[in-house]
Amino acid sequence: DAGVIQSPRHEVTEMGQEVTLRCKLISGHNSLFWYRQTMMRGLELLIYFNNNVPIDDSGMPEDRFSAKMPNASFSTLKIQPSEPRDSAVYFCASKNSEGYTFGSGTRLTVV
Amino acid sequence: EDQVTQSPEALRLQEGESSSLNCSYTVSGLRGLFWYRQDPGKGPEFLFTLYSAGEEKEKERLKATLTKKESFLHITAPKPEDSATYLCAVRCSGNTGKLIFGQGTTLQVKP
């Protein structure tokens, strides 16, 4: 079991550019969560999917953020256009009946 | 509003000096309280899940307890390798899997 795999690990981009973060779930897990972590606000839920369907996107900051889950094992989080205040560590986590497993995160820096 | 508060924000201990971390919660209905450990540059790593008041779980030097209003993570005779940020999260009734996290307690154990 390779765990939840996120890519890239680090991303530095210029303000206004599009950024795509990727997440590969653990096989057999049916729920996926995208979290954002900052020093000021801690871990905040952005969106989560259950069986590939978005259930709650109330944490998505604004229309610049979008997430997709095209199949049961993969998800993307896109920011377009990116802004410096989007700088944070973005985690995805998958869940089965046993519990939640987090990836190692993508550290995004928007300059 | 569902809320999780952890204290203290930071804790410095000498090796072997036992202590406790607190997680207070206000939720409409608890479907599980989770403790995670997070090392720098990594994602949260699962430690324990507690479901009902009076429940206790142990793992090596860590013991988690739960009441109707709070949870404690007791650390007995800590070692430097226990240094990390400890996160508490709750899953509330009425939602389908979302975890609400506290801000965390950063523990430093000095040799």
Side-chain angles (χ1 to χ4, degrees):
Chain A
D1 187 344
V4 176
I5 299 172
Q6 292 187 245
S7 63
R9 288 298 313 276
H10 302 275
E11 177 81 33
V12 180
T13 191
E14 290 186 349
M15 183 173 64
Q17 296 298 305
E18 177 181 299
V19 175
T20 299
L21 311 182
R22 296 174 174 80
C23 176
K24 185 176 185 304
L25 282 73
I26 296 174
S27 176
H29 284 207
N30 59 356
S31 297
L32 177 130
F33 304 79
W34 281 102
Y35 281 87
R36 177 170 67 177
Q37 187 175 41
T38 60
M39 289 291 292
M40 289 295 296
R41 301 174 67 92
L43 270 165
E44 300 175 285
L45 179 67
L46 299 176
I47 186 171
Y48 76 94
F49 296 82
N50 196 37
N51 293 322
N52 306 358
V53 176
I55 301 299
D56 182 353
D57 65 355
S58 59
M60 296 284 262
E62 47 198 271
D63 291 345
R64 297 184 298 107
F65 284 69
S66 62
K68 293 182 179 179
M69 192 166 178
N71 58 59
S73 63
F74 183 73
S75 177
T76 59
L77 178 68
K78 183 181 292 186
I79 308 172
Q80 165 64 19
S82 57
E83 296 182 2
R85 60 189 167 127
D86 302 331
S87 298
V89 181
Y90 291 80
F91 289 101
C92 72
S94 68
K95 176 187 174 295
N96 65 358
S97 58
E98 302 292 318
Y100 303 76
T101 303
F102 282 78
S104 296
T106 294
R107 179 174 295 278
L108 174 65
T109 304
V110 183
V111 298
Chain B
E1 182 184 349
D2 299 326
Q3 198 167 6
V4 179
T5 303
Q6 291 187 245
S7 61
E9 287 187 18
L11 182 62
R12 297 173 72 175
L13 300 174
Q14 288 295 128
E15 184 172 2
E17 180 186 1
S18 301
S19 189
S20 298
L21 314 182
N22 178 264
C23 172
S24 299
Y25 61 91
T26 306
V27 298
S28 53
L30 185 68
R31 289 184 65 187
L33 185 140
F34 299 76
W35 282 99
Y36 284 85
R37 169 189 171 130
Q38 187 175 23
D39 292 296
K42 297 189 176 181
E45 178 186 340
F46 172 76
L47 293 173
F48 304 108
T49 308
L50 303 168
Y51 291 102
S52 56
E55 189 175 358
E56 298 182 352
K57 289 193 176 173
E58 286 189 69
K59 179 180 179 181
E60 296 180 356
R61 295 177 292 282
L62 300 177
K63 178 180 174 181
T65 62
L66 182 65
T67 72
K68 288 186 178 180
K69 294 184 178 180
E70 58 191 349
S71 176
F72 290 95
L73 185 65
H74 306 278
I75 304 177
T76 302
K79 298 182 177 182
E81 54 261 42
D82 295 322
S83 298
T85 296
Y86 291 85
L87 297 164
C88 168
V90 297
R91 182 182 173 189
C92 309
S93 62
N95 72 60
T96 58
K98 174 167 106 172
L99 291 181
I100 300 171
F101 280 86
Q103 291 283 79
T105 294
T106 299
L107 172 67
Q108 184 181 28
V109 182
K110 293 199 163 187

